[in-house]
Amino acid sequence: MLTVYRTVKAKYLNEPLVTEGARLFGGRWNPKGYPLLYTTSSPSLALIESLVHQPTVRYEKLPTLYLCTVQIPDEAEGSPIKTYSPAELPPYWNAESYEQTQWILRDWLNKPETLAVSVPSVAVPMSVNYLLHPFHPRFSEIRVVKTEPFPIERRLWREGGEPV
C-alpha cells in the first residue's frame, strides 16, 4: 500500500474521501464537472497545500483541520501510478491561473486507466501530490487509516491574515 495524506476541514470530517468539492469547483488538475481526490506525499506538504488555499483571514478564523492518513493499493496489485515530472508537463503547468492546467490530464480525466497520478506540487515543486480518480474501479479500495487533529502553528500565519 502507498500512504498519502489529505487535510480535511472539521465540517467534512465524516466524509474525507468525498470528491464533490473538486467536481463542483474544479482545481489545478481538473475542470468543473470532473471529480478528483487531491492527496499529498507527506503531512507537511498537506499543510502547505492547505495554507496556500486559505482565505485572507486572521489566524483565529482559520478552519479547524484534520490530517487523514490514506492508503491506496500498491502498483503491483494492478493499478500503476502514472508519474509526471515537471519536465514532462507543459511549461504552464504551474501557472497561477488554472484555466490552462485543468486539461493537461484530459485523457486520464476521461478514461482513468490508473487509480492515481503523481504530479509535482506547485507550492513545493520537489514534492508530489497524488490525484486519485473516483471513477477508477479500485477507488473503493482506498482506506483512511488514521484521522487526527492538525493544528496550524501560529508562526506559519501572519497577523494580517496571510501565510508566511
Side-chain angles (χ1 to χ4, degrees), residues 83-136:
T83 300
Y84 291 93
S85 70
E88 295 172 291
L89 295 168
Y92 56 82
W93 73 269
N94 57 356
E96 194 167 324
S97 169
Y98 293 173
E99 285 183 26
Q100 289 182 296
T101 66
Q102 292 176 327
W103 288 109
I104 291 173
L105 304 176
R106 177 189 315 260
D107 292 343
W108 179 71
L109 290 171
N110 287 315
K111 188 177 179 190
E113 293 182 5
T114 63
L115 171 60
V117 168
S118 171
V119 292
S121 164
V122 171
V124 185
M126 61 286 300
S127 296
V128 297
N129 290 322
Y130 291 96
L131 311 174
L132 309 178
H133 204 305
F135 295 148
H136 188 276

Side-chain angles (χ1 to χ4, degrees), residues 2 6 15 18 47 59 78 88 90 99 115 135 143 155:
L2 174 65
R6 170 177 177 77
E15 44 189 12
V18 169
L47 179 60
Y59 175 81
E88 295 172 291
E99 285 183 26
L115 171 60
F135 295 148
R143 298 287 178 257
R155 293 174 294 174

Side-chain angles (χ1 to χ4, degrees), residues 16-105:
L17 301 179
V18 169
T19 59
E20 189 64 4
R23 186 188 71 78
L24 289 174
F25 303 106
R28 173 168 301 280
W29 301 103
N30 68 300
K32 290 178 184 178
Y34 287 81
L36 280 184
L37 188 70
Y38 283 73
T39 66
T40 66
S41 56
S42 70
S44 55
L45 183 57
L47 179 60
I48 289 168
E49 292 283 355
S50 290
L51 288 176
V52 299
H53 293 99
Q54 292 302 319
T56 305
V57 297
R58 293 184 53 81
Y59 175 81
E60 294 76 16
K61 298 284 186 182
L62 287 170
T64 300
L65 296 178
Y66 287 82
L67 179 68
C68 295
T69 302
V70 178
Q71 288 187 333
I72 61 175
D74 283 333
E75 295 179 36
E77 295 177 18
S79 184
I81 295 172
K82 172 65 177 156
T83 300
Y84 291 93
S85 70
E88 295 172 291
L89 295 168
Y92 56 82
W93 73 269
N94 57 356
E96 194 167 324
S97 169
Y98 293 173
E99 285 183 26
Q100 289 182 296
T101 66
Q102 292 176 327
W103 288 109
I104 291 173
L105 304 176

Side-chain angles (χ1 to χ4, degrees), residues 129-147:
N129 290 322
Y130 291 96
L131 311 174
L132 309 178
H133 204 305
F135 295 148
H136 188 276
R138 300 196 67 199
F139 189 83
S140 63
E141 297 175 41
I142 295 170
R143 298 287 178 257
V144 176
V145 295
K146 186 176 184 181
T147 302

